[in-house]
Amino acid sequence: MTEKIATRKAYGEVLLELGEKHEDIVVLDADLSKSTKTADFAKTYPGRFFNMGVSEADMMGTAAGLAASGKTAFASTFAVFAAGRAYDQIRNSICYPRQNVKIAATHSGITVGEDGASHQMLEDIALMRALPNMTVICPSDAISTKKLIKLAAKEHGPYYIRLGRPGVPVIYDDNDDIQIGKAKLLKEGNDITIIACGHQVAPALEASEKLSGEGVSCDVIDLHTIKPVDEKLILESAKKTGAVVTCEEHSIIGGLGGAVAECLSENHPVPIKKVGVNDTFGESGTGEELLKKYGLTSQDIEKKVKEAIGLKAD
Amino acid sequence: MEGIEEKVPMLKEKALEIRKEILKMLNKAGSGHTGGSLSLAELMAVLYFKYLRVNPSNPENPDRDRLVLSKGHAAPAIYAALGLKGFFDKKELDTLRKIDSILQGHPDMTKTPGVEMTTGSLGQGLSAANGMAISAKLDDRDLKVVAILGDGEVQEGQIWEAAMTASHYKLDNLVGIVDYNGLQIDGKVEDVKDPAPLAEKWRAFGWHAMEIDGHDVSEIDSALNMADREEKRPTMIVARTVKGKGVSFMENNADWHGKGPSDEELEKALKEIDAAFDVLKEGR
């Protein structure tokens, strides 16, 4: 886990691959193509790239119209402008009529950093997974990003693809089989289940290494697809370990932790502890500083694991 | 091009038929948007019975023209036109707004044959129409996309984002129509938030814009023909209309924005429209 690549960079690269193979793919951006990494697609396939300017609502609607005419439309902007500003357009123009639009939402979470709270999208998973017809994916590294986006491009219908700004460790290799809707068991243990997505998968693995040195063995699951959630694997693991810790670079309200809690409370209640940003806005700072201040480090995960184990019934 | 003169009586009749269907379905539904549906009758008649190249027996033809009813609350107007055109059994009109119906309170493209875009949250239809027009250009398809907007609806910011998009991408295969009936839920559009001067606003956004009488089928037809000849820019037709048009006690009355007629009101309204039919026939 030495090489670090941003998931948004992987998005830009996989778009080029897809663009070459599929003439029906069109890409839209809202004046952020350098940051969302769609600029290379724009350069290579200028006829199929549409810079909509600073108008996210219009971008989502235009993407819907392109999709209604048979295109596979990738609409790209920062997560806060996608899920936040254009929520109604995503709801009524994309999800309700089940349009074939893939929303690539980069710069999600608190690691946007210095731009501060206005740009740190911490509630998009909650908003997007509440929408009928929407599939929500949050890849943890560059390889899974590419694999999941290729799969999303093949499937008809709306997808929300949550991507990040900073480089993150590469977890998978090219031979790993990754499927939408099927969570990935990265490490096996008996004492606790750690379920993470996106940028939090790497620190979850790190925490599990540390904990195994202390005699605590963990199942570590990459829940890259938050909707539909892989109930089977979550339940299997929770039944085995008897306690769960969830980790996400998102509010603890309504995101991955919420999805896991819903699944468990309905089927097999076990103690759950959530690592995520508490019910608060962020602030300016480096990504690293913010992760520390808001309780998202591997040490925070270790702490929650111990708390969760303490809640297990004897 | 086919002359309009010989088609005028037929189109006028179609508009009256559309009005009757609107009133009947809204009476059965017991709720819905009467005023802003009636104001579209002539526009719908010309669009569906002269202008648009759509075929109910081949509704998915990729080369078909598209109509996006951005002011989705006027769903009864498009349902009436589609029903009369044969996109579905006219009996379906009786099920408007009822459970399990193909005719939802606002247009749902996944449920109603002939409906091209799901609408209802105001301000979104023009963006979708742009996407369709862009797609047609990408695929080299010679087709038209028409978007119908409300005059209250143009208060939405997304409309003006979409206005910029259409002119930026030179969408000369796109025609917008504003149903300028002057009333919105809370009263006169000019009192709530005045969009005037409307045609000038569209021109300032790079569109070819014209103002017409939205109840004159010949004017509607010639405006659409002018839009067809336009190159390198989209066309906006600002259509002056009367909310509740064709029924004396509904005309220019904001109270009829969002309710259907009672049995008694329906009877009264249909009598007026039948009288208009008689006038048309006498004129022949």
Side-chain angles (χ1 to χ4, degrees), chain A residues 117-137:
Chain A
S118 65
H119 284 53
Q120 293 162 353
M121 190 28 142
L122 296 170
E123 68 276 14
D124 52 336
I125 296 175
L127 288 166
M128 292 295 109
R129 81 181 181 91
L131 285 172
N133 294 336
M134 184 66 102
T135 299
V136 180
I137 62 178

Side-chain angles (χ1 to χ4, degrees), chain A residues 110 276-278 280-283 289-296:
Chain A
I110 204 152
V277 177
N278 283 311
T280 180
F281 286 100
E283 65 184 83
E289 289 165 343
L290 290 161
L291 289 171
K292 203 166 168 196
K293 178 160 179 178
Y294 290 87
L296 294 163

